[in-house]
Amino acid sequence: MGMFKKKWSPRDADRWTWEDTITVVISPVIYVLILVGCALAALLKPVGFILVIIAIALTVIMIGIINPKLTAISEDYEKKQKDYMEELERKVKWED
Amino acid sequence: MVVFTFLDWFWLIAFIVLMVGCGVRFYRLGKRSESDFFLAGRGLPWWLPASSVYATHTATDTPMWVAGKVYKLGFTGLWYTFYAAWCAISAFVSTKIFRRSLAYTQAEWQSLRFGGMSGELLRGWVAGWQVFLNMFILGWVGIAMGKVCGFVFGWPLWIGLIVFSSVCAIYVLAAGYWGVVMADFQQGIIALIVIVIVSFWGIHAAGGAGEIISRLEAMGEAGKLNPFNFTGFFAGDFPVAWFITMLIIGILGGLGMGTAIDWFPEAQRIQSAKTVKDASWSIWAGSLLVIIRNSLWAAAILGFFVLYPDIQLTKDYEMAWFRLGFENLPPGMIGFFFAAIVAIHISTISTHLNLGAVYITRDLYHHYINPRAGQEKLVWVGRVGTLILLLGSFVFGSIMENITEWLIFALWIMAAGVWLPGILQVVWWRFNGWGYLTAWVFNLVFSWLVVWVLPAFGVLPHLKDYQQFWILMILGALVFIPVTLASKPENMDHLVKFYVMSRPIGWWGPVKEEARKRGLI
């Protein structure tokens, strides 16, 4: 078994799980690390490079955690999208 | 003034031909339908909207804004640009929800989320506000280009305002969003290359990284290298209280929609992505590039500060990054630099021309004026809308000097009092259209009172911006929450339909239960 859950049923993927919680915590941290790290690295400060490396590592982890779930949500939704689209057009024409 | 050689003119003309040609080439795709003209047929892989997010938010005035903050405050100034962090959470929360709603615009989303009269009133209000706002942004960015052209060629402001926006309008009128996004991709690459080259060239011109650091230390300005150089909890230019407020607004705002002014162009990019997953990664990656760009600029601005430490006027040090390029790049590269500035400029202009036009076409014309309009007609209305925005932007641009303070206020008030409702509309089923409308209306009243009227009569002191934010948020909540609870919930059929399609997070228990009972989930 891998580190991260790779197979998601559409029903499970639609639930808020610890994968979502971890992602919304890691994601802003990555932005902070990149903001500070790139500025300091551009002035060749070693701490800047360290922060950028940590940010890259966290990005890889975040993708591993959330991408399979996003894929499952997407695939399930695409099957229904055509019907939803027709409904939307009916609404804009005041038919719905 | 800067003297252009033959090679400089070559770069400039070649880039303009390339950019316009690249956009116009998609004329046949753009004219097929409303969906193509405004959303590229909802078929784009994540990296195209991502590059468009990045290119759109890299405007002519952006390096001025970053330079203004970083020259004065050092790396702490970077946090003023960190509002883009709302995308960090939005990419995995509100982006997903919005993409699943399929709404063309945030205005259309209002009528999907809220039903009946309040939903329609909100749709009309948001559409009208967005037409105005896009026109204003076009004028604002256009006049920034006028200033750059004045600096480079000594031209009057109106030439830079009119010429490049008009050139850009050629491909937006022809190909709509297809032209916008394809040109954005190529403009984004050009802009990124030039930002890297000029920023590092600027650092080199200041003596290199080591020299910048040692000179800052010698000047007693080493604090400018510290991104967390707080001046106290409440006191000074960079208080902890402001920092916390910014993080809350920026990051938690990602749970909602319309909590940042940038949400509206992003909403269009989200809908143009071919899947929910593509939408999420496009927003996340595009904003990451914005953040990297800001950091590179900031390092270069510190180099500029070391070279010219005594500039007092904001309008002078705001030009720091442009000066690093024009004063240090060799002949032949100046034109390359200016061509990239044109790319930076028109990538923003093209987005707002098309974005304003979608509100005119989809929300005002198609929904309210002519619901039976055919696709060809809708594309033509889109073109007329684009032209109206272009002409309106010239008017705004020409009076911008006099109205900027008022319009910044207008932007600010639209963010403060509706920030929380922007989140509640996503996470709380019971929040209804009347509550949201009340929030908009009372925000206008309260913001005038808190920012202008009460301080003028000495009833309130002049508050700092982060204090105004909290006060406006609390005052608004004291009105819109009782109004929400006193008025009826949205119709359950409407909510169930919305829930099944969009799957919002948060407190949706009764709606979810009803959807389950009906066997819809």
Side-chain angles (χ1 to χ4, degrees):
Chain A
M1 192 179 148
M3 255 177 91
F4 313 119
K5 185 173 173 179
K6 291 204 170 64
K7 292 279 177 201
W8 288 87
S9 69
R11 195 185 169 93
D12 286 345
D14 262 332
R15 288 201 189 110
W16 184 272
T17 60
W18 74 267
E19 281 85 356
D20 298 287
T21 307
I22 295 282
T23 301
V24 299
V25 171
I26 291 181
S27 178
V29 172
I30 292 169
Y31 274 21
V32 170
L33 292 173
I34 287 289
L35 183 82
V36 176
C38 286
L40 294 173
L43 292 180
L44 303 180
K45 288 265 206 183
V47 66
F49 293 103
I50 293 167
L51 295 179
V52 171
I53 290 167
I54 295 170
I56 293 168
L58 285 176
T59 304
V60 172
I61 292 168
M62 186 182 77
I63 292 171
I65 290 172
I66 202 67
N67 202 46
K69 199 172 182 203
L70 278 175
T71 305
I73 290 170
S74 275
E75 285 172 357
D76 181 52
Y77 182 77
E78 282 152 40
K79 289 175 200 157
K80 303 167 187 163
Q81 181 163 307
K82 194 167 168 282
D83 290 342
Y84 289 149
M85 204 88 83
E86 284 168 8
E87 202 172 310
L88 189 77
E89 292 309 313
R90 282 200 301 276
K91 190 168 176 61
V92 81
K93 292 176 184 166
W94 298 89
E95 289 171 351
D96 194 31
Chain B
M1 274 177 53
V2 177
V3 178
F4 264 40
T5 63
F6 171 77
L7 191 56
D8 293 318
W9 285 113
F10 167 78
W11 281 120
L12 178 58
I13 292 165
F15 269 42
I16 288 176
V17 170
L18 183 70
M19 286 185 272
V20 175
C22 182
V24 171
R25 195 166 178 276
F26 290 87
Y27 165 73
R28 282 181 195 285
L29 291 180
K31 71 172 186 173
R32 289 188 306 192
S33 64
E34 187 183 32
S35 164
D36 279 289
F37 198 77
F38 292 117
L39 298 176
R42 300 183 196 265
L44 301 178
W46 70 270
W47 46 273
L48 271 172
S51 62
S52 187
V53 166
Y54 163 73
T56 293
H57 297 301
T58 307
T60 341
D61 66 325
T62 329
M64 294 183 194
W65 162 253
V66 175
K69 290 298 175 193
V70 173
Y71 185 93
K72 191 176 167 197
L73 301 168
F75 279 162
T76 55
L78 272 172
W79 298 109
Y80 285 85
T81 70
F82 197 61
Y83 287 102
W86 66 268
C87 294
I89 289 184
S90 171
F92 307 106
V93 181
S94 54
T95 292
K96 256 182 351 187
I97 298 165
F98 186 75
R99 176 62 180 76
R100 292 171 71 141
S101 79
L102 295 174
Y104 272 62
T105 64
Q106 188 59 31
E108 184 160 35
W109 195 84
Q110 301 305 325
S111 62
L112 297 175
R113 166 65 179 85
F114 306 114
M117 177 65 88
S118 62
E120 293 303 328
L121 286 172
L122 276 165
R123 184 173 190 165
W125 159 251
V126 172
W129 165 242
Q130 277 301 304
V131 172
F132 161 77
L133 191 65
N134 280 290
M135 217 180 265
F136 161 63
I137 292 170
L138 285 164
W140 179 324
V141 176
I143 208 66
M145 190 62 183
K147 287 179 189 171
V148 172
C149 290
F151 175 74
V152 178
F153 302 113
W155 292 348
L157 286 182
W158 67 267
I159 296 182
L161 167 69
I162 289 177
V163 169
F164 295 103
S165 294
S166 302
V167 166
C168 171
I170 295 170
Y171 68 79
V172 183
L173 284 164
Y177 185 74
W178 272 110
V180 173
V181 81
M182 292 304 175
D184 271 1
F185 177 63
Q186 171 245 101
Q187 287 155 2
I189 292 172
I190 294 168
L192 191 61
I193 290 170
V194 168
I195 287 168
V196 171
I197 291 174
V198 173
S199 298
F200 283 105
W201 209 293
I203 291 169
H204 174 73
E211 180 68 11
I212 291 171
I213 292 167
S214 52
R215 285 182 66 180
L216 282 171
E217 284 166 353
M219 291 156 75
E221 296 278 6
K224 280 195 154 62
L225 291 164
N226 179 3
F228 300 98
N229 193 23
F230 296 112
T231 50
F233 197 85
F234 291 112
D237 286 332
F238 189 60
V240 174
W242 177 89
F243 183 71
I244 292 170
T245 305
M246 180 278 300
L247 285 182
I248 290 172
I249 296 174
I251 294 174
L252 292 186
L255 294 170
M257 295 177 190
T259 54
I261 215 78
D262 293 344
W263 166 262
F264 300 93
E266 256 70 311
Q268 192 185 23
R269 273 126 202 89
I270 289 166
Q271 289 300 355
S272 69
K274 69 179 173 186
T275 67
V276 175
K277 185 169 88 169
D278 285 273
S280 289
W281 289 121
S282 70
I283 293 302
W284 193 83
S287 297
L288 187 73
L289 277 176
V290 167
I291 284 169
I292 293 171
R293 173 209 74 189
N294 291 345
S295 300
L296 294 180
W297 271 337
I301 303 309
L302 282 192
F304 180 84
F305 177 79
V306 163
L307 289 171
Y308 307 100
D310 299 319
I311 303 175
Q312 297 300 322
L313 294 176
T314 310
K315 73 178 177 65
D316 291 335
Y317 60 70
E318 272 181 349
M319 297 300 284
W321 186 72
F322 292 108
R323 282 186 61 184
L324 283 174
F326 287 120
E327 291 175 10
N328 295 293
L329 289 173
M333 283 294 283
I334 299 287
F336 185 76
F337 180 43
F338 187 74
I341 293 170
V342 173
I344 284 170
H345 175 63
I346 65 179
S347 62
T348 307
I349 294 291
S350 62
T351 287
H352 290 286
L353 283 174
N354 188 256
L355 181 62
V358 69
Y359 285 95
I360 292 175
T361 309
R362 178 76 179 177
D363 295 300
L364 299 178
Y365 181 79
H366 195 180
H367 188 54
Y368 292 119
I369 299 172
N370 187 1
R372 300 275 161 203
Q375 293 301 314
E376 196 180 342
K377 189 159 199 174
L378 290 168
V379 169
W380 272 105
V381 173
R383 289 184 175 134
V384 172
T386 305
L387 211 53
I388 292 170
L389 281 145
L390 180 71
L391 297 174
S393 77
F394 296 156
V395 176
F396 268 115
S398 62
I399 57 172
M400 196 59 78
E401 295 287 320
N402 304 321
I403 61 171
T404 297
E405 190 184 354
W406 290 94
L407 286 170
I408 288 174
F409 168 70
L411 291 179
W412 161 241
I413 61 174
M414 289 304 159
V418 292
W419 180 84
L420 184 57
I423 295 173
L424 290 178
Q425 65 175 333
V426 176
V427 302
W428 187 29
W429 77 277
R430 183 63 181 78
F431 189 58
N432 63 16
W434 296 114
Y436 199 24
L437 264 177
T438 308
W440 279 101
V441 173
F442 276 83
N443 183 46
L444 284 170
V445 177
F446 288 143
S447 54
W448 277 88
L449 287 173
V450 170
V451 178
W452 301 105
V453 181
L454 296 181
F457 287 98
V459 180
L460 265 184
H462 285 281
L463 300 166
K464 293 183 175 176
D465 55 0
Y466 70 89
Q467 294 168 324
Q468 289 170 351
F469 171 82
W470 288 111
I471 288 176
L472 289 173
M473 197 183 86
I474 292 165
L475 285 175
L478 289 175
V479 179
F480 70 72
I481 289 180
V483 168
T484 299
L485 295 174
S487 51
K488 283 183 183 170
E490 297 295 338
N491 176 289
M492 189 50 88
D493 289 343
H494 186 87
L495 286 175
V496 166
K497 202 179 276 183
F498 168 77
Y499 181 84
V500 170
M501 193 167 164
S502 301
R503 301 299 170 92
I505 63 155
W507 296 276
W508 285 84
V511 183
K512 192 175 175 182
E513 191 53 37
E514 184 62 30
R516 196 170 282 149
K517 267 192 220 162
R518 297 182 187 187
L520 296 170
I521 54 172

